[in-house]
Amino acid sequence: MSVLRPFKADDLFKFNNVNLDLWTETYSISFYLNYLARWPDLCLVQEAPNGKMMGYVLGKAEGHSQEWHGHVTAITVAPEYRRLGLARKMMDELERISTEVYNGYFVDLYVRCANILAINMYEGMGYSVYRRVAQYYTKLPHEKGGRDQEDAFDMRKPLPRDTMRRSVRPNGREIIISRDQAP
Amino acid sequence: MVDQEQRKLKPIYDALDSGSYKTAIQTCNKLLKKQPQHEVIRALKALALLRANKAEEAIQLCDEILASKPTDDTVLGIMQHVLKHLDRTPEITTMFEDAFKKQPANEELGAQTFMSHIRVGSWKNAQVIALKLFKTFKQPKYLFWSIMSAVLQAQNAGGVNPGMTDNAPILLNLALRMITSSPIPSYVSPDHFYLHLTILKTLDKLDEAYELIQSERGKRLCETSLVVDELRREIFQAKGACKEEAVLCGERLSKKGDRNWITFLSLIDSTFDVIKLNESQSQTETDAAASSTDSKGAGPPSDAKPTNSEGNGEVDPELTPKPTPHPELPLEPQALIDGLRELFERLAKEDGLKERGGHLASLQLEKRVRIREEGQGNPVPDTLLTLVKQYFSNFSDKNCCFEDLKPYVATLQEGELTSWIAFLKEQADAKDISTNAGLARLINVFKLQRFSKTSARTEAEEQADSAAYLKAYFEALPDLPETELQPADDLAILAANALVSAWVITRKEPYLHQALVVLEYASSKSKQNYQFRVLAVRVYRLLAANTPAVSHYRTMDVKQVQTDTLSHLILARGSTYSLAPVGDVGMTQECIAASDIYNQNSSDTADMILKAFQFEKYSQITEFVEFEDRLDNSLQRDLTRLEYVRMKFTTEKLEPEALLLELQELEFVLEKMHHDNRDFAVVPNYQPRGQSLADQTSMGVVRGFQWLTVFLQLYIRAYARACRVETSVASDMNTFLSGWLSEMTEDEKTFLKFSQILHEWIPCPPLQSREAAMAALTGAAVASDATAAPTQNGSGDAAAKTNGDQERKQSPPPPHVKQDGSAPVTVEASTETAVKYFEDAAARAKALADQGELLWEVCHVATLAQEAFVLLQIVSLPYTSKSGKSKIKITDSGSVVESLKTVRTQAATHLRAISTLLTDIAEKEGASERQDEWAEGCAALAEVDAALGTEFAGSVAKKTLEARKTVCEGLAKGILKVVAGH
């Protein structure tokens, strides 16, 4: 239960309680406004009844022909609002828009291979590992590093248009590409 | 051919890219020998010169190139860079316009011209160019650019006074004509549609807007675009289409699985609007019936024709039809309310505990019913309390339960509260924190208890509560790695709240020490938790321990746009802890770091506005322009700027030349309409209802627009004197002070009075015109007009009456400032009163220290006295400056100079006394007994858990005391330096 509304430019003044969390990066103004200037309908905010920001998602649409898809660039929920199913609601909406407005084949996202919790959550939402991108992330200061910290899984969920289910493959975890090959 | 050209230019680009600007210039020169008129090379040379810091040459070459009116794409692109760096952005527009005039068939040039107008916010020119582009190149996109520009113009977006302009209706009607005659319909995209609806809504053409929305395409767009749906809701509301809204929301909730809280709220709101409408209609019917009975003396009420306007039976019912009740909505209020009740109950049942929407909507509905019943003088139904308890039982294992319930608990009446508090007590007694759910429940109980009790809290209560919170904290604290957030964290936050509250009640400082110990301990167990750090920053600053405050702030990694919203945490009255005079530039650096975002905004946000035009995201453009404006005119930006000035001028040589530039900047800032973007909600507040932890932990009253205005005026007035120029700021302090003192500390008020003493006591020197002052600054020869005889106005009142101050317009109070009519401030200005300020400051600092007030207050008095000394130097500059350009001959200035000297000497004596006081404090803080004493004050914590015993408390004490010592020592030495240096 929350207000689901469009992400707006002045939300940059409001997102501190979400972004002060260690796992959420704060980017330049242009980063956010670029998303809003191109895919405003894929940028959403969850707000508590008292107006506090609970979380947000920033997405985009990209790719050619059968690779045309919705992409989740950032999804985050403030610590105090976790385990309320907010991420799922935002993903549902993003998938709906990717289908109804953009007519994409699938939605995808990147996640650290070591982030088992998140991977399980996305699998629960119908995503599966499509491939592994080597050295996609930089090491986090407080982590040991290592392959699973730095590599990303590219996880995909087919949308109705992907009738052949090309965005799902059982051996995705074994297919490794380099960072340069990733879009 | 092209390749050859590229090969030729490549070395220049390479040199520029690698930062070898000298090489770039040389290469350009070499090539220009063969082709002296090669435009691209000339432009690149201008760029290289600029980068090599050869501004004069760059400017000359740039002017030459512009005079040739270039049209080449590459040249224009490079020149755009050059002009931007030279701060000559408006000329970019002219350059593109000239080029487009020369080549009207060049579409790219036209688009660039349009963009250059958008970049500088000249919407009107943009509108004209875009229309021209549309007529020439027939692309619908250009028509919509023109429409959007007209809308921006009507809104005066980004202007000094945003809001609808007088000619808005004309502009918007024009925009509407363009959109309706467009070759493509507005429903091609949500953003085109949004623009269309915005225009109609602003023009109050709500029926037309409604019709568009209700079309098949319109409905579809509302379903797939949240922005459009938001606007739809606003239009429904403006039109009074509450029935339609209620039906729509009801359908979405019951049939389409919508659980957006906004839909719940809108359903409730619109249903109550329907009730109101029905009631006013039946009232009208009764009235109409009554009047018809009166006039005709016959006819049953049902025969009376209903009308829309009260008591006016002449309105033709055909023209203003009675809104027909929606077939799906009953008419009776009770039936409508019961309908909602049933719906919410059904949804709550269907969704179970996975979804709070239906459950919370029941509470929201009962709250509305309660307000309605109260308004009608009916007894209040008791359903709300039952629902609150039920909601608690269902969701108290979720962190957000407290927040969810707050607004409803706040509407409970006294008797209900008693029952509610008893209920909470039962819950607390039955606690079981062996599970995370049980722990979350207890935390919710504690938070609700603090919020629910309306009686004033006592020291004993806060002591007992903080102990209870801490006890639970230690019981619940699991062995999670310190990089994880601990589920028990909020218990430590609650304890810190209670301890600060105990300090507020008693002013016993050890409670603040205890709060710090708790926060430091909890922070060490949960390093990611930013709330501990935010609170610690505030408490450390109250205790004048600036180093750990800044260190916690830095660990939070505040960056980018966050510096605008959060830098107030360490920069509020930041000059209090500036050790700049002794060479520690930590605080000035923080000011600079916090200000970088404003440059980023100026350079980047405009690009994003252009991007929104390129991608035709019309729903975003106004928002972007407003965002840019909010950041550009941010209150925090200028509070920081002023703080920086106050830190900086303690170390710099005061020169009228530099002050003149500073003066103009401050005058510019004073004209701004500021926006307060500061985020105080990051300070976790669990204080009793009506109290705010952010306010309680503020170093002095929270500053705002009024504080900024007063201090700006104070310095503008002083700088103007120093530079001997006129200013529009009033000379009479009351015109800018009366009623604006609420954001000042007592000591700041005293400081202001001192500034007035200076203004009245030091005779105003002969003034020169701004032009002459500027000319002197730039070295141009202008006949000095500063040869007049000095004006004698040292008599105290009516300062500067003879020098034209009086004629000057008083700057009007900014519209956002309310005058509260406090008593006027008067001062007696003389050498004695000027000296007395310093004498009083020294005495006050000592008294504060002796009475054991918070150390920040002592530092505050000390830094203000130091600032007063600098202010004295500034205002007396015309009499003391030895610099040739500003040296003036003031006849008979000897006595002034003499009395200035007296004040300075005596002020220095008192400042040295303050310095000694601070040195003494520093020494005491450094003594080992202080540490023991400090740790002893925290003994109560050790009783709760040994982890907070002497060892840990001692380490926090050590850190705090060392930091206090650093501040006091630094300030003490700094004062001596300032006194000696000026």
Side-chain angles (χ1 to χ4, degrees):
Chain A
M1 188 278 318
S2 53
V3 173
L4 181 69
R5 60 163 183 80
F7 194 116
K8 293 181 178 172
D10 68 2
D11 283 321
L12 268 63
F13 296 119
K14 293 193 200 161
F15 64 17
N16 287 326
N17 67 317
V18 179
N19 279 36
L20 283 172
D21 180 53
L22 184 75
W23 297 99
T24 306
E25 180 63 28
T26 302
Y27 300 98
S28 67
I29 296 172
S30 311
F31 174 86
Y32 300 99
L33 297 195
N34 179 46
Y35 272 83
L36 293 178
R38 303 186 61 176
W39 309 279
D41 41 6
L42 293 175
C43 302
L44 310 163
V45 165
Q46 293 269 13
E47 198 174 74
N50 64 5
K52 244 171 98 178
M53 199 187 272
M54 304 169 99
Y56 58 84
V57 63
L58 301 174
K60 60 180 170 180
E62 60 183 3
H64 294 290
S65 56
Q66 287 184 346
E67 283 283 301
W68 175 243
H69 68 285
H71 174 76
V72 184
T73 303
I75 181 160
T76 174
V77 174
E80 62 267 38
Y81 300 113
R82 288 184 192 151
R83 282 180 285 277
L84 294 173
L86 293 179
R88 178 182 281 269
K89 279 188 179 179
M90 291 192 279
M91 294 291 281
D92 283 350
E93 182 69 7
L94 192 134
E95 287 159 17
R96 188 174 79 91
I97 302 296
S98 296
T99 306
E100 294 183 13
V101 177
Y102 291 94
N103 197 19
Y105 285 92
F106 59 90
V107 170
D108 80 340
L109 53 88
Y110 284 60
V111 58
R112 270 180 215 274
C113 298
N115 195 348
I116 310 288
L117 232 67
I119 294 167
N120 287 343
M121 178 180 82
Y122 293 130
E123 280 179 344
M125 294 179 191
Y127 289 76
S128 60
V129 176
Y130 183 75
R131 59 191 176 184
R132 181 178 180 123
V133 187
Q135 290 175 323
Y136 184 78
Y137 294 104
T138 48
K139 192 178 84 70
L140 282 177
H142 56 85
E143 293 283 350
K144 285 185 216 88
R147 233 182 115 217
D148 282 357
Q149 280 296 333
E150 289 159 37
D151 290 5
F153 281 139
D154 175 3
M155 297 184 78
R156 296 186 174 182
K157 176 177 180 173
L159 296 180
R161 191 174 177 190
D162 184 13
T163 44
M164 311 288 287
R165 292 179 66 82
R166 284 198 175 90
S167 46
V168 185
R169 47 190 183 195
N171 59 341
R173 286 175 190 249
E174 276 83 63
I175 296 168
I176 302 175
I177 62 162
S178 74
R179 208 201 142 130
D180 319 333
Q181 291 167 284
Chain B
M1 184 64 187
V2 176
D3 275 357
Q4 205 185 345
E5 184 73 13
Q6 277 172 354
R7 252 202 310 276
K8 191 158 66 190
L9 298 177
K10 194 169 177 294
I12 308 177
Y13 281 112
D14 287 348
L16 280 171
D17 284 344
S18 63
S20 332
Y21 305 126
K22 241 176 157 176
T23 318
I25 298 171
Q26 283 164 357
T27 318
C28 288
N29 285 339
K30 214 164 75 191
L31 291 168
L32 283 173
K33 267 189 193 152
K34 287 181 212 156
Q35 291 172 284
Q37 292 311 314
H38 196 295
E39 279 190 313
V40 178
I41 300 175
R42 277 157 60 85
L44 285 170
K45 187 182 165 185
L47 185 65
L49 285 169
L50 190 69
R51 296 259 166 92
N53 280 327
K54 299 189 173 181
E56 262 176 49
E57 285 175 68
I59 289 168
Q60 199 191 342
L61 184 55
C62 170
D63 288 343
E64 282 174 27
I65 298 168
L66 287 182
S68 73
K69 300 201 191 307
T71 52
D72 180 89
D73 250 13
T74 321
V75 176
L76 292 170
I78 302 165
M79 290 308 290
Q80 196 172 349
H81 269 291
V82 173
L83 287 170
K84 211 169 144 185
H85 281 277
L86 286 173
D87 251 340
R88 289 164 58 175
T89 327
E91 286 175 58
I92 298 175
T93 316
T94 324
M95 179 180 77
F96 278 113
E97 265 195 334
D98 288 345
F100 188 40
K101 259 181 217 149
K102 269 166 95 175
Q103 299 188 359
N106 187 332
E107 188 172 349
E108 179 56 29
L109 272 186
Q112 293 268 21
T113 310
F114 169 80
M115 293 297 183
S116 71
H117 283 299
I118 293 294
R119 188 182 282 283
V120 293
S122 58
W123 317 127
K124 190 177 177 178
N125 292 328
Q127 182 202 333
V128 174
I129 291 278
L131 196 61
K132 197 166 151 195
L133 282 168
F134 173 64
K135 284 183 179 153
T136 316
F137 305 106
K138 309 285 180 235
Q139 274 222 52
K141 176 166 157 177
Y142 298 137
L143 182 67
F144 277 86
W145 283 7
S146 185
I147 295 165
M148 186 71 226
S149 306
V151 171
L152 287 168
Q153 204 188 327
Q155 294 169 334
N156 188 21
V160 184
N161 293 307
M164 284 299 154
T165 51
D166 289 344
N167 60 346
I170 300 169
L171 286 162
L172 291 169
N173 273 308
L174 173 73
L176 186 60
R177 273 201 305 280
M178 288 197 268
I179 217 166
T180 42
S181 64
S182 156
I184 55 163
S186 65
Y187 57 68
V188 289
S189 91
D191 282 88
H192 290 79
F193 196 64
Y194 179 91
L195 183 57
H196 195 169
L197 289 183
T198 304
I199 296 167
L200 288 171
K201 178 174 169 261
T202 324
L203 280 170
D204 217 24
K205 299 193 180 220
L206 299 171
D207 292 334
E208 277 178 56
Y210 184 78
E211 232 169 83
L212 275 184
I213 291 168
Q214 294 298 57
S215 67
E216 270 317 300
R217 297 279 201 150
K219 279 185 183 162
R220 169 107 186 108
L221 284 166
C222 291
E223 278 168 20
T224 50
S225 165
L226 287 170
V227 212
V228 173
D229 196 50
E230 262 186 6
L231 190 54
R232 175 203 64 72
R233 183 167 290 124
E234 286 170 25
I235 289 167
F236 272 33
Q237 205 178 13
K239 191 179 139 57
C242 45
K243 288 176 184 167
E244 290 76 3
E245 177 70 12
V247 170
L248 182 69
C249 291
E251 268 175 14
R252 285 183 180 180
L253 290 172
S254 60
K255 292 180 190 150
K256 298 194 171 158
D258 182 344
R259 291 295 180 271
N260 196 337
W261 180 241
I262 202 101
T263 314
F264 283 106
L265 280 184
S266 193
L267 173 57
I268 296 171
D269 287 346
S270 53
T271 304
F272 277 84
D273 286 345
V274 172
I275 291 173
K276 224 162 133 191
L277 188 72
N278 286 347
E279 282 171 350
S280 73
Q281 261 164 27
S282 68
Q283 184 63 41
T284 314
E285 280 173 35
T286 320
D287 287 352
S291 73
S292 73
T293 314
D294 284 349
S295 55
K296 294 173 197 160
S302 56
D303 284 353
K305 287 197 171 177
T307 62
N308 255 18
S309 51
E310 271 182 284
N312 183 356
E314 286 165 18
V315 175
D316 186 345
E318 292 301 314
L319 288 176
T320 51
K322 173 188 169 191
T324 44
H326 202 283
E328 292 177 45
L329 284 184
L331 274 170
E332 281 303 307
Q334 201 49 50
L336 280 165
I337 291 170
D338 287 344
L340 291 193
R341 268 198 194 114
E342 276 163 37
L343 172 67
F344 296 153
E345 274 166 29
R346 177 164 69 79
L347 295 182
K349 210 167 163 189
E350 281 172 14
D351 295 344
L353 300 184
K354 288 222 150 171
E355 166 62 54
R356 283 135 54 233
H359 301 264
L360 199 65
S362 299
L363 284 162
Q364 178 69 18
L365 174 63
E366 289 319 311
K367 186 180 152 193
R368 289 296 301 263
V369 168
R370 177 173 285 231
I371 293 168
R372 179 179 147 82
E373 297 295 336
E374 273 173 346
Q376 295 179 340
N378 296 335
V380 164
D382 60 359
T383 34
L384 188 57
L385 177 62
T386 317
L387 285 172
V388 167
K389 288 181 184 170
Q390 210 171 64
Y391 191 89
F392 179 90
S393 305
N394 283 332
F395 298 107
S396 56
D397 59 340
K398 308 237 183 275
N399 287 333
C400 56
C401 181
F402 165 65
E403 238 176 55
D404 287 347
L405 283 179
K406 253 168 100 171
Y408 309 107
V409 171
T411 51
L412 293 178
Q413 294 178 337
E414 206 52 49
E416 291 172 311
L417 272 179
T418 314
S419 157
W420 168 240
I421 289 167
F423 171 83
L424 288 175
K425 175 87 175 42
E426 283 166 32
Q427 300 292 324
D429 291 343
K431 71 173 182 200
D432 167 20
I433 53 176
S434 59
T435 64
N436 277 349
L439 177 59
R441 171 159 303 173
L442 182 64
I443 291 173
N444 276 315
V445 168
F446 284 154
K447 289 178 182 173
L448 283 163
Q449 281 178 330
R450 288 188 76 76
F451 180 77
S452 303
K453 287 181 191 156
T454 47
S455 56
R457 296 182 71 83
T458 63
E459 180 184 11
E461 273 177 313
E462 292 298 20
Q463 266 182 328
D465 282 350
S466 65
Y469 305 151
L470 278 178
K471 196 164 162 276
Y473 173 78
F474 280 103
E475 262 176 59
L477 193 63
D479 262 342
L480 289 183
E482 60 193 28
T483 48
E484 300 276 320
L485 287 168
Q486 311 288 345
D489 280 351
D490 272 4
L491 288 165
I493 297 278
L494 276 160
N497 270 261
L499 289 165
V500 170
S501 175
W503 167 72
V504 170
I505 297 164
T506 62
R507 294 286 149 180
K508 291 181 189 163
E509 198 181 300
Y511 285 122
L512 290 181
H513 304 171
Q514 293 184 23
L516 271 187
V517 172
V518 169
L519 290 168
E520 284 290 3
Y521 182 83
S523 182
S524 74
K525 293 289 169 196
S526 180
K527 296 207 158 139
Q528 282 191 48
N529 189 314
Y530 72 88
Q531 294 185 325
F532 294 141
R533 298 188 192 279
V534 169
L535 264 180
V537 167
R538 297 183 77 80
V539 180
Y540 274 125
R541 292 187 87 231
L542 282 178
L543 297 173
N546 197 46
T547 312
V550 172
S551 148
H552 273 295
Y553 176 79
R554 287 193 184 138
T555 310
M556 281 161 58
D557 199 16
V558 169
K559 58 179 154 184
Q560 304 288 355
V561 66
Q562 293 177 315
T563 55
D564 181 49
T565 47
L566 293 175
S567 61
H568 71 88
L569 287 172
I570 52 157
L571 291 179
R573 295 197 171 88
S575 54
T576 311
Y577 299 132
S578 165
L579 304 184
V582 289
D584 179 345
V585 293
M587 290 305 284
T588 43
Q589 286 298 329
E590 289 296 340
C591 290
I592 294 169
S595 302
D596 185 53
I597 189 67
Y598 308 111
N599 300 329
Q600 200 192 102
N601 183 44
S602 322
S603 66
D604 298 355
T605 306
D607 287 340
M608 291 301 131
I609 296 171
L610 300 186
K611 198 160 233 178
F613 268 103
Q614 274 160 8
F615 288 94
E616 297 200 77
K617 296 300 183 239
Y618 301 111
S619 65
Q620 304 299 311
I621 291 169
T622 306
E623 311 259 344
F624 284 16
V625 174
E626 280 169 6
F627 173 83
E628 189 181 31
D629 178 57
R630 266 185 79 172
L631 206 46
D632 202 36
N633 296 314
S634 156
L635 174 69
Q636 182 58 39
R637 175 188 200 171
D638 290 319
L639 284 173
T640 303
R641 190 197 300 256
L642 208 48
E643 253 355 82
Y644 182 70
V645 167
R646 298 168 77 198
M647 294 177 196
K648 212 181 50 169
F649 62 31
T650 56
T651 60
E652 286 181 356
K653 198 166 179 315
L654 299 167
E655 302 273 7
E657 289 76 14
L659 292 182
L660 186 60
L661 294 177
E662 198 94 64
L663 168 67
Q664 284 173 325
E665 203 159 297
L666 295 184
E667 284 175 329
F668 170 73
V669 171
L670 186 65
E671 293 300 311
K672 286 183 173 183
M673 286 288 292
H674 285 97
H675 300 274
D676 189 359
N677 307 326
R678 292 174 299 177
D679 185 354
F680 289 101
V682 286
V683 183
N685 183 32
Y686 302 116
Q687 294 302 40
R689 223 184 290 183
Q691 292 182 24
S692 141
L693 188 64
D695 288 346
Q696 290 169 348
T697 51
S698 171
M699 243 170 60
V701 54
V702 176
R703 304 180 304 171
F705 305 107
Q706 304 184 9
W707 189 97
L708 181 67
T709 309
V710 174
F711 262 75
L712 278 173
Q713 301 207 52
L714 187 150
Y715 277 109
I716 289 171
R717 205 172 64 164
Y719 283 9
R721 275 286 184 92
C723 309
R724 300 188 294 112
V725 294
E726 300 191 351
T727 172
S728 58
V729 168
S731 69
D732 174 12
M733 183 163 62
N734 286 302
T735 56
F736 69 83
L737 284 193
S738 66
W740 294 5
L741 297 169
S742 59
E743 290 167 358
M744 310 256 134
T745 65
E746 285 311 311
D747 298 298
E748 282 166 345
K749 287 180 201 167
T750 317
F751 175 74
L752 288 174
K753 279 190 193 161
F754 172 73
S755 85
Q756 185 66 15
I757 292 173
L758 288 187
H759 191 79
E760 293 183 14
W761 162 62
I762 301 176
C764 182
L767 300 179
Q768 52 185 344
S769 70
R770 281 291 165 112
E771 293 74 23
M774 277 312 284
L777 181 63
T778 51
V782 162
S784 172
D785 56 347
T787 46
T791 48
Q792 289 300 329
N793 51 20
S795 57
D797 73 326
K801 260 189 184 153
T802 45
N803 63 30
D805 260 10
Q806 181 198 32
E807 314 293 326
R808 222 153 291 138
K809 266 188 298 170
Q810 292 172 356
S811 72
H816 45 72
V817 173
K818 267 193 226 135
Q819 307 255 339
D820 66 9
S822 24
V825 185
T826 50
V827 296
E828 195 198 317
S830 65
T831 316
E832 290 72 36
T833 51
V835 171
K836 190 157 187 311
Y837 167 81
F838 293 96
E839 188 187 332
D840 288 350
R844 178 155 160 85
K846 179 142 187 352
L848 287 170
D850 288 348
Q851 290 156 14
E853 295 294 336
L854 291 184
L855 189 50
W856 90 261
E857 293 197 52
V858 181
C859 299
H860 184 53
V861 175
T863 44
L864 280 171
Q866 172 183 279
E867 192 172 341
F869 189 78
V870 179
L871 189 69
L872 171 69
Q873 308 300 314
I874 292 173
V875 181
S876 50
L877 262 182
Y879 297 94
T880 57
S881 173
K882 291 182 183 64
S883 124
K885 271 181 237 162
S886 57
K887 180 82 175 166
I888 48 158
K889 289 198 178 64
I890 303 175
T891 40
D892 199 25
S893 65
S895 63
V896 179
V897 173
E898 206 47 47
S899 47
L900 281 172
K901 215 169 163 184
T902 311
V903 174
R904 213 158 41 233
T905 316
Q906 298 197 28
T909 311
H910 295 302
L911 277 168
R912 279 192 212 101
I914 295 178
S915 170
T916 311
L917 174 75
L918 287 168
T919 311
D920 290 349
I921 296 174
E923 235 162 71
K924 269 187 227 147
E925 295 300 295
S928 61
E929 307 88 73
R930 270 295 277 155
Q931 243 180 73
D932 300 341
E933 196 185 306
W934 218 93
E936 235 166 72
C938 299
L941 297 177
E943 280 170 33
V944 178
D945 198 286
L948 302 179
T950 327
E951 198 181 329
F952 189 81
S955 70
V956 179
K958 188 160 180 269
K959 181 155 106 172
T960 313
L961 293 167
E962 269 170 17
R964 282 155 70 94
K965 189 174 168 228
T966 308
V967 164
C968 291
E969 251 174 22
L971 291 181
K973 284 185 190 158
I975 288 173
L976 295 184
K977 278 211 164 186
V978 170
V979 168
H982 281 285

